[in-house]
Amino acid sequence: MNDLGRLEDLPEAYRHDLRAKNLVPLWPSLRGVLPPHIPTRQTAATHWAYQDIKPLLLQAGALTPIEKAERRVLVLANPGHTLEKMQASAAMYLGMQLLLPGEWAPSHRHTPNAVRMVVEGEGAYTTVQGVHCPMVRGDLILTPTGLWHEHGHDGTEPVIWLDVLDLPLIYYTETSYHINGDKQDVSSAQSGTDYAVGSVVPMHVFEATAADNAHRDSPLASYPILRYPWVVARDTLLALAQSAPDQKVLQVVYTNPQTGGDAQNILGFYALMVRPGETAQLPVCSPARVLHQIEGETEVVIADQTFAMEAADTCCAPGYTPVAIRNTSTTTPAFLFMADEAPLHRKLGVYERRA
Ligand code: GTQ
């Protein structure tokens, strides 16, 4: 690699003249913005232990009433991006949210896409564009861009879930905003069972009536599933483990059954199973990844770092980096939720698999 001229090589008077006209010489920074062969990644391999988060989140419950918070969330911030940026990776935001019995997080909608992975507690629900979505441990609930959503809690114990948003990307592109709304009426617009079997899905034959057109034009029409129950993903993984005994990486992808494509536009969502005592080596790909332990215990090796993952722990890996998941139990399967930036990279034309 040839050395390029440095900024200090230029006369101060010339640099001053450039600055005064809002001009910058490229060559001192060329290698910085176009590094050789592999991108510079600020995303650092980072582990957040649930046993660290939970007491601090419960403290937030005592310190800040929901009315003062709207969303009572501790953000899992990647120190590589600096904590103030509230980013897990370039495009992913992670937050652990607490809702106490009887509390209500009021309706709003915003441009970032969000999902929730339910971590602990029973009795909470999210209403998404009028669709009632009960929150059960391991369920994935979508709140896609522009759809109204609010959270309520009829149970007796605190409920905690993990939020995954594409907020850093949406904020970076200067397209991030929200609108507050009124409490939603719950409609029967979507049933949890219409799409329960992927091989046979509803075919919407619309009558040309105003009401049916309104449904077709509704934001819900693009998102036929808003709640992916954990038992469905788990059963599919167990069946896959039986039918593919030589396969080490047992993975399912959360899809939109109407398109067969990713469940959302920007981030990809998956569930993984690792058999007792086995190690799953994930392919080296361009997108950053987030792993969240749903059941069991693993060791996640990200390049030269190893994280002990207990149930409800979360970690983050930069892109272009080898990731291996070792199930430390010899008797129980390990199940993880994964989010990545693959749909975004594919749309941008920068998706790569290197090994
Ligand atoms: O629950 O709607 O973690 O709007 C960040 C922003 C959660 C939510 C977050 C949000 C929400």
Side-chain angles (χ1 to χ4, degrees):
M1 185 176 72
N2 59 325
D3 282 338
L4 302 178
R6 297 172 307 165
L7 195 59
E8 307 82 79
D9 298 340
L10 297 169
E12 175 53 39
Y14 177 68
R15 286 154 60 184
H16 175 270
D17 289 350
L18 290 178
R19 273 199 306 274
K21 302 293 177 194
N22 295 323
L23 295 167
V24 176
L26 172 62
W27 57 97
S29 305
L30 185 58
R31 298 284 185 248
V33 292
L34 289 169
H37 305 297
I38 188 159
T40 307
R41 285 136 302 151
Q42 287 179 268
T43 303
T46 307
H47 172 235
W48 296 270
Y50 188 60
Q51 64 166 24
D52 292 337
I53 299 173
K54 187 178 171 183
L56 293 166
L57 195 50
L58 291 174
Q59 245 178 290
L63 291 168
T64 307
I66 193 72
E67 296 74 22
K68 288 280 175 204
E70 267 180 40
R71 299 296 189 264
R72 196 190 290 105
V73 175
L74 291 180
V75 179
L76 283 56
N78 192 309
H81 288 273
T82 72
L83 301 187
E84 297 69 36
K85 291 271 177 63
M86 300 197 299
Q87 293 179 231
S89 70
M92 291 189 284
Y93 155 103
L94 298 174
M96 207 59 95
Q97 181 160 173
L98 169 70
L99 201 62
L100 295 171
E103 285 187 335
W104 179 61
S107 189
H108 72 181
R109 60 193 183 109
H110 42 65
T111 46
N113 295 277
V115 302
R116 347 248 147 225
M117 166 53 50
V118 183
V119 175
E120 188 178 338
E122 284 165 23
Y125 59 88
T126 295
T127 307
V128 186
Q129 203 72 31
V131 177
H132 177 77
C133 300
M135 299 178 106
V136 177
R137 169 70 182 141
D139 288 357
L140 184 72
I141 295 167
L142 306 188
T143 54
T145 178
L147 270 61
W148 293 109
H149 54 283
E150 64 195 72
H151 315 298
H153 188 354
D154 299 333
T156 54
E157 297 297 320
V159 167
I160 295 174
W161 65 83
L162 178 70
D163 293 312
V164 186
L165 281 76
D166 52 19
L167 178 59
L169 175 77
I170 301 302
Y171 186 78
Y172 174 73
T173 54
E174 300 185 347
T175 53
S176 180
Y177 71 95
H178 90 282
I179 296 171
N180 284 331
D182 297 329
K183 196 165 174 54
Q184 299 168 66
D185 293 327
V186 172
S187 75
S188 56
Q190 217 185 78
S191 120
T193 52
D194 286 356
Y195 286 85
V197 179
S199 53
V200 182
V201 301
M203 190 177 155
H204 295 293
V205 183
F206 293 102
E207 305 285 334
T209 67
D212 282 340
N213 281 332
H215 175 70
R216 188 192 58 201
D217 295 339
S218 143
L220 281 179
S222 308
Y223 295 95
I225 299 184
L226 294 171
R227 171 173 179 256
Y228 297 76
W230 172 232
V231 334
V232 174
R234 190 181 195 278
D235 285 351
T236 310
L237 284 165
L238 287 167
L240 185 61
Q242 289 288 320
S243 64
D246 299 331
Q247 202 172 304
K248 293 267 193 277
V249 183
L250 303 162
Q251 183 172 340
V252 293
V253 55
Y254 292 92
T255 61
N256 177 329
Q258 238 151 43
T259 65
D262 296 295
Q264 283 189 346
N265 287 329
I266 309 292
L267 303 180
F269 306 103
Y270 320 84
L272 292 150
M273 173 179 153
V274 188
R275 292 188 195 85
E278 288 194 354
T279 299
Q281 184 77 54
L282 304 187
V284 178
C285 297
S286 53
R289 295 180 169 113
V290 163
L291 288 165
H292 172 81
Q293 191 81 35
I294 297 180
E295 290 179 35
E297 292 181 4
T298 57
E299 259 177 19
V300 173
V301 182
I302 302 169
D304 56 1
Q305 275 172 281
T306 302
F307 301 131
M309 293 270 284
E310 295 180 12
D313 284 8
T314 306
C315 70
C316 171
Y320 301 86
T321 306
V323 177
I325 308 166
R326 190 172 82 82
N327 186 346
T328 49
S329 164
T330 52
T331 53
T332 338
F335 293 96
L336 300 97
F337 167 65
M338 183 166 80
D340 76 6
E341 301 162 331
L344 172 66
H345 282 208
R346 291 207 176 88
K347 288 186 174 73
L348 295 176
V350 299
Y351 183 86
E352 272 185 63
R353 178 173 171 166
R354 292 209 170 172

